[in-house]
Amino acid sequence: MRLLAPGFRDTNGAHPAPAGLVRAALVSEGVSSQQCILCSKWVPATARVCPSCGTPRGGSTANGILAVGLQLAGGSYSVGRLLGRGGFGLTYLGADNRLGRQIALKEFFPPGAVRQGTTVVPPSTLAAPDYAAATRRFLHEAQVLARFQHPSIVAVYAAFQENGTAYMVMEYLRGETLGQRLERDRQPLAEDELIALARPLAEALDRVHAAGVLHRDIKPENIVVANGAAPKRPVLIDFGAARDFVHGATIRQSVVLTPGYAPLEQYGERARRGPYTDIYAFAATLYHLATGTQPAAAIDRAVGIELKPPRDLNRRLSPAFNQALLHALEMNVEQRPQSASEFFRELVTATQVPGYSGATRRLATLAAAPARAPASNAGRGPKQPPAVPRPHRTRIEQIAAEFAAGGEVQADRLRCPICRDATMVEPARASGAIRCPVCRVAGIRERIPPEERSRCPVCRAGTLRPSVPGGLMRCPACRAGTVSTYTKGRKLVVFADTRAKCDRCDADFSYNRWQDTLTLAALPNGPGHLAADLIGQVKTRGEWSRLAARPAGDSYQCDRCHAELDGTAGGAYELIAVEGRVDRVPSAHRGQQRTQLEWSKIAHQIPLVEGTHACPICAAQFDAGDGDRLTLIRAPRDPLRVIERYGGKPLPAATWRAIAAGMRRPSRGGYICPACTAELEAAGEAGYRLTAYDAARDAFGAGSRYDETTLRREDWQRVAAGRLPAEAERQRREEAQTELWAAVLTGELGDPAAETSYPERKAGGEQVLVRLAAEQWKQTRDGFDRSDGGELWITTRRIVFHGRRGNVLIPVDKVTYCGIQAQTAVPEEIVAVRRRDRARPLFFAAKGEISATIAGLPLRIEWSAGHFVELANRLRQPQ
């Protein structure tokens, strides 16, 4: 008897087994276990530290460190092992007991402080008002960080005062600082890796500066590269020196700095400070990472110590990267980039375009003379002439920068396109135990194993199996036996007397085969459920079956105690007999009609008000239904009010998984980010639509750009890597090629190879634009004949053809007409050029391409007769 739907197993899946199961497993193996006081995992008693979180087992530690397992903030947080010591604090691994996650717990503990019990006693050198002010500054750091929601800024969840000091609850970052990376590898980082790290840090700094805050202590030791992220996620930490600033204002600030990374203005209390202050430190950090050498301190540079260019220390660095660092390390604040994004663009933008020449912007070469203090402007050279407007090339550089900002597209997983911190999950495709949708912590446990779903509710040992009654019918007298026919009289007699008898109570009937009727002849063991006066009465077999109150089918019988359950018209089942006797049916079950689910609960001693599935943490109860469906019937602890929205509804496993993952519309299917809860809802055959995201976590602007946009999964993977969708990227490349052609038309770009090979003397201001393989044609009575072959140059002043038979030079100011010659006999497209000083036009056919790499973006335009005509006509027009 299959009483429950298949599909629910308590197997190893995506969610960890409850602690009780782990402990049971340890006990079953004969291992003594103890629960970790920080992460609550069961670990062997012989273990010195928890293998899950690394916390020592029990007890306090020495040197004034808080005891492991100490509860703070009314039990909201637990203290774990010490992670590190800073100048003014201790950082512990901790646990958020409310949300069930690991945290970093930072305690304000200045040098010289001691601990009495759990209370921090300030050092004797720090007066009470100064200690209170320092504590307020510590809390101010938490307030500063709490204002930002960015993947590259360490997150602060809470701050509070306790034990005579202050605490900060922060994001726990698993990884290493860039300072540790340098010390471990003892070699510089590659430029491409530094650019990948610099991009999110520049975005984070822009966010910080836009809020009017300066970090004031950027250095390799204050940048953590979090583990498990692809691409790598650098996180800016330690905002202890952060202060507000006012643009253009000079205010008194404390002197907090790290020599080598701090600019000169940070050494004075009243110097003007702004984003350029952090940009200097940012550039100094990249300088150190790129060269392995810490840059000279600004105070030393001010008295004549030279800052070596990065390429002198690492020849693998590109000129653009070298120049960008030197620009950001200018001593004068006005000569540095004024925003982190501007600095990053200089890091990735080449100073000149490979393949073409023209009016390119070049940064002024930094002098190798000793640096001067910010207040001094002496020694500056003459002002550089204003840059020539180059709108088409600028647009190409913008497109190139957009492409360069992207990383490698993940092919096997879908990283969240909003926060880019985590891999999105698709609940509908998850396997293993279903995570509880009420508490969202533990996996739902199946209380009735699949192989025991047909257990007998009476003996609880046998198995209920389908029972098809034999003979004619169930006995109406005892309602347990089967009435079967037997022949009485001589055999081989056509009209033999056919009799029928119950195999339990021996009730005897005479059976008329032709009319299908039975006559009750005798009740030797009593009438049972029948009246005695029915003896001698004739009824059809159907009428006697209705008196037996037993159906003709849909019955089950235990293979051990012979308990019998019969189905009713309403779909329920009634326990009719045990071992063939009605009087042996337990009194609690007599006359009770229950569903298959209820009889299965009775067989497994589960109260009827509880479910066939339950959560071991929050005690939520579920009943199994058809297929893989579950119905939520109880939720004693339901802070998210799941039962109000989904209680009593039989929902498939995929929907419950989506609810547990936090999806807002769980029945639609799709992906959700476990870090920022962004959702991609299934739309169409292969598309997904961005239906929800947290604007505070939209650091890269993907949410605002693609809100309610439907893209293929592959395109969302591209967005998560910082790239454009495939179709948008194709359109951008086409736009860049259009801009390249427009730049050639306006003289913004020229071909250096064409310039080098140009055979004529150039006039003043003349620029060679293209060089092509060309043929000269002549018109005859019958059509066109090829007359010469050679090369053709087009400059801003002339069209020059050098052939094997002769040369042709056409000033563009003498061209009166240029167009494609209409003809059909020749496969090439021929261009006719008419001069005002000649009666007959000249005919050319040119082949080749325009190719260039601008800011790392390769572009190519296949030359055509149309390009020839457009360029010639554009050049001959008055500028």
Side-chain angles (χ1 to χ4, degrees):
M1 177 180 183
R2 188 173 64 85
L3 294 180
L4 295 180
F8 298 101
R9 295 178 179 271
D10 191 10
T11 58
N12 294 328
H15 306 290
L21 295 182
V22 177
R23 184 187 187 190
L26 291 171
V27 171
S28 67
E29 294 175 4
V31 179
S32 177
S33 62
Q34 184 176 352
Q35 200 169 18
C36 175
I37 57 179
L38 179 63
C39 68
S40 300
K41 299 292 180 62
W42 289 94
V43 297
T46 56
R48 301 181 62 183
V49 298
C50 173
S52 298
C53 65
T55 299
R57 289 184 56 248
S60 61
T61 52
N63 302 323
I65 301 172
L66 288 174
V68 173
L70 179 68
Q71 305 290 301
L72 298 176
S76 297
Y77 308 104
S78 298
V79 178
R81 61 184 172 87
L82 184 70
L83 293 176
R85 294 175 179 264
F88 292 92
L90 305 174
T91 303
Y92 303 87
L93 174 64
D96 186 332
N97 299 326
R98 302 167 303 173
L99 300 178
R101 63 180 175 185
Q102 288 186 321
I103 57 171
L105 194 64
K106 188 174 182 180
E107 179 187 41
F108 180 58
F109 197 84
V114 296
R115 197 184 304 276
Q116 293 181 354
T118 59
T119 303
V120 174
V121 179
S124 58
T125 55
L126 198 60
D130 295 332
Y131 179 74
T135 305
R136 287 194 298 271
R137 286 195 295 272
F138 180 88
L139 293 172
H140 177 263
E141 178 187 356
Q143 294 168 355
V144 167
L145 285 172
R147 293 158 62 178
F148 307 113
Q149 295 291 329
H150 191 280
S152 287
I153 301 175
V154 63
V156 168
Y157 305 132
F160 57 93
Q161 289 183 275
E162 192 172 334
N163 297 331
T165 187
Y167 296 89
M168 190 187 310
V169 182
M170 307 168 64
E171 173 187 9
Y172 175 48
L173 297 170
R174 297 175 177 85
E176 64 178 352
T177 69
L178 290 176
Q180 292 170 331
R181 167 77 179 276
L182 271 180
E183 185 176 355
R184 171 172 58 84
D185 293 349
R186 298 188 180 278
Q187 63 180 4
L189 277 67
E191 181 178 327
D192 57 350
E193 182 178 2
L194 288 174
I195 288 176
L197 294 172
R199 178 182 56 78
L201 290 173
E203 293 173 351
L205 281 177
D206 275 343
R207 183 77 63 87
V208 171
H209 295 158
V213 176
L214 298 178
H215 186 281
R216 298 205 309 166
D217 197 19
I218 300 174
K219 55 186 177 182
E221 289 75 14
N222 283 342
I223 300 174
V224 173
V225 179
N227 289 341
K232 295 179 180 178
R233 178 168 73 102
V235 183
L236 200 57
I237 64 171
D238 198 353
F239 278 67
R243 292 293 181 270
D244 295 342
F245 74 94
V246 179
H247 280 287
T250 301
I251 58 177
R252 180 169 182 170
Q253 293 186 351
S254 58
V255 178
V256 179
L257 55 84
T258 301
Y261 307 102
L264 193 61
E265 67 266 20
Q266 207 165 330
Y267 284 82
E269 291 186 355
R270 296 186 178 275
R272 182 162 57 94
R273 299 169 188 176
Y276 41 78
T277 303
D278 279 345
I279 291 166
Y280 183 102
F282 189 19
T285 298
L286 294 178
Y287 182 107
H288 191 178
L289 297 171
T291 64
T293 302
Q294 183 174 320
I299 195 71
D300 294 332
R301 295 177 61 193
V303 297
I305 301 298
E306 178 184 358
L307 176 68
K308 294 183 179 180
R311 272 176 60 85
D312 290 357
L313 301 172
N314 183 358
R315 298 302 300 175
R316 291 190 297 273
L317 298 176
S318 68
F321 193 87
N322 178 80
Q323 195 78 354
L325 290 184
L326 293 175
H327 186 206
L329 290 171
E330 279 280 7
M331 296 288 282
N332 192 320
V333 298
E334 296 178 353
Q335 294 180 348
R336 298 179 207 149
Q338 298 300 297
S339 71
S341 57
E342 179 185 348
F343 170 50
F344 178 74
R345 282 195 297 272
E346 291 184 6
L347 285 173
V348 298
T349 303
T351 57
Q352 55 184 330
V353 183
Y356 276 85
S357 64
T360 60
R361 176 178 64 87
R362 299 177 185 272
L363 294 174
T365 303
L366 298 178
R372 298 175 175 82
S376 174
N377 291 330
R380 290 192 196 175
K383 290 186 177 180
Q384 298 292 327
V388 178
R390 296 170 301 131
H392 304 297
R393 174 173 171 165
T394 300
R395 178 56 185 151
I396 296 174
E397 290 177 348
Q398 291 172 350
I399 295 173
E402 197 171 6
F403 289 170
E408 182 180 356
V409 178
Q410 299 290 333
D412 56 338
R413 64 190 183 98
L414 176 57
R415 191 155 42 105
C416 175
I418 304 302
C419 68
R420 302 183 187 175
D421 284 346
T423 298
M424 301 194 83
V425 296
E426 191 175 13
R429 295 184 181 274
S431 60
I434 302 173
R435 186 159 47 135
C436 176
V438 178
C439 66
R440 300 182 181 178
V441 176
I444 298 174
R445 292 174 55 187
E446 187 176 30
R447 305 173 72 179
I448 303 177
E451 64 275 10
E452 297 183 14
R453 290 169 183 164
S454 298
R455 184 186 296 178
C456 175
V458 179
C459 67
R460 298 187 180 129
T463 301
L464 293 171
R465 304 187 186 281
S467 173
V468 179
L472 295 175
M473 63 182 181
R474 293 284 188 179
C475 177
C478 68
R479 296 184 178 179
T482 299
V483 176
S484 302
T485 60
Y486 69 98
T487 302
K488 182 178 181 181
R490 292 180 302 170
K491 296 182 180 180
L492 302 178
V493 177
V494 176
F495 297 102
D497 184 13
T498 302
R499 309 291 294 180
K501 181 181 290 186
C502 173
D503 59 3
R504 294 290 178 88
C505 68
D506 293 329
D508 198 7
F509 296 85
S510 175
Y511 178 48
N512 187 321
R513 293 175 179 272
W514 312 112
Q515 297 180 358
D516 198 23
T517 59
L518 293 100
T519 302
L520 180 60
L523 294 169
N525 291 310
H529 292 275
L530 294 177
D533 58 1
L534 289 178
I535 295 177
Q537 291 194 16
V538 179
K539 295 181 182 294
T540 65
R541 184 150 55 108
E543 290 172 335
W544 287 116
S545 295
R546 282 191 289 274
L547 289 175
R550 301 286 297 271
D554 198 19
S555 298
Y556 296 88
Q557 187 176 61
C558 175
D559 60 4
R560 183 166 181 174
C561 71
H562 304 292
E564 298 178 61
L565 280 83
D566 280 352
T568 66
Y573 289 82
E574 182 178 351
L575 182 59
I576 299 299
V578 177
E579 293 183 348
R581 296 180 57 176
V582 177
D583 60 333
R584 293 189 179 181
V585 175
S587 58
H589 302 322
R590 290 177 185 172
Q592 297 294 322
Q593 294 184 355
R594 296 189 172 99
T595 64
Q596 293 179 344
L597 194 66
E598 291 172 329
W599 285 117
S600 187
K601 289 182 183 179
I602 292 171
H604 290 82
Q605 297 182 289
I606 298 174
L608 296 181
V609 295
E610 296 185 8
T612 60
H613 295 67
C615 173
I617 300 298
C618 68
Q621 304 291 320
F622 302 82
D623 269 346
D626 295 335
D628 65 346
R629 293 178 179 270
L630 284 178
T631 302
L632 176 62
I633 59 174
R634 285 182 58 205
R637 298 186 293 276
D638 186 17
L640 301 177
R641 299 182 178 179
V642 175
I643 200 165
E644 290 183 13
R645 291 174 288 171
Y646 306 107
K649 301 176 182 178
L651 301 176
T655 302
W656 286 119
R657 292 183 191 276
I659 295 170
M663 295 193 75
R664 297 159 180 84
R665 292 190 284 191
S667 61
R668 302 292 183 89
Y671 292 88
I672 184 170
C673 174
C676 72
T677 71
E679 289 185 38
L680 296 177
E681 185 178 287
E685 293 183 0
Y688 294 90
R689 181 172 61 254
L690 178 63
T691 57
Y693 69 96
D694 184 357
R697 297 295 302 273
D698 188 22
F700 306 98
S704 57
R705 179 183 299 180
Y706 297 105
D707 187 24
E708 294 298 331
T709 299
T710 299
L711 298 172
R712 296 175 62 86
R713 185 180 187 275
E714 296 79 4
D715 284 329
W716 284 120
Q717 288 174 310
R718 295 173 65 89
V719 173
R723 299 178 62 177
L724 294 169
E727 178 60 22
E729 184 171 308
R730 184 191 64 78
Q731 294 174 357
R732 286 286 200 284
R733 291 187 183 278
E734 289 183 353
E735 181 186 356
Q737 290 190 168
T738 301
E739 293 293 340
L740 173 63
W741 176 239
V744 173
L745 289 176
T746 57
E748 287 185 25
L749 295 175
D751 187 351
E755 189 112 20
T756 303
S757 63
Y758 186 58
E760 304 290 336
R761 181 185 296 275
K762 290 198 303 181
E766 183 178 14
Q767 185 177 0
V768 182
L769 300 178
V770 294
R771 183 181 87 172
L772 304 161
E775 295 173 340
Q776 189 174 7
W777 293 70
K778 65 180 180 179
Q779 192 170 20
T780 66
R781 291 182 180 181
D782 300 327
F784 288 86
D785 289 336
R786 187 181 291 107
S787 62
D788 199 0
E791 291 183 306
L792 183 141
W793 290 262
I794 300 178
T795 77
T796 53
R797 300 284 185 89
R798 291 173 280 190
I799 299 173
V800 178
F801 175 77
H802 275 216
R804 289 184 291 273
R805 296 183 178 181
N807 303 332
V808 177
L809 189 150
I810 310 173
V812 295
D813 57 357
K814 292 185 178 182
V815 176
T816 60
Y817 170 82
C818 183
I820 299 177
Q821 180 67 33
Q823 47 79 35
T824 58
V826 178
E828 290 86 350
E829 284 189 313
I830 296 177
V831 176
V833 180
R834 190 179 297 276
R835 299 176 50 158
R836 72 164 59 97
D837 55 348
R838 293 190 180 182
R840 302 182 65 181
L842 298 169
F843 300 99
F844 299 97
K847 296 180 180 180
E849 66 179 26
I850 300 174
S851 60
T853 301
I854 300 177
L857 177 63
L859 299 171
R860 178 178 175 275
I861 299 175
E862 188 71 29
W863 185 263
S864 68
H867 289 105
F868 194 139
V869 172
E870 185 178 5
L871 180 57
N873 286 328
R874 178 64 178 267
L875 292 174
R876 70 188 185 88
Q877 294 174 359
Q879 299 299 318

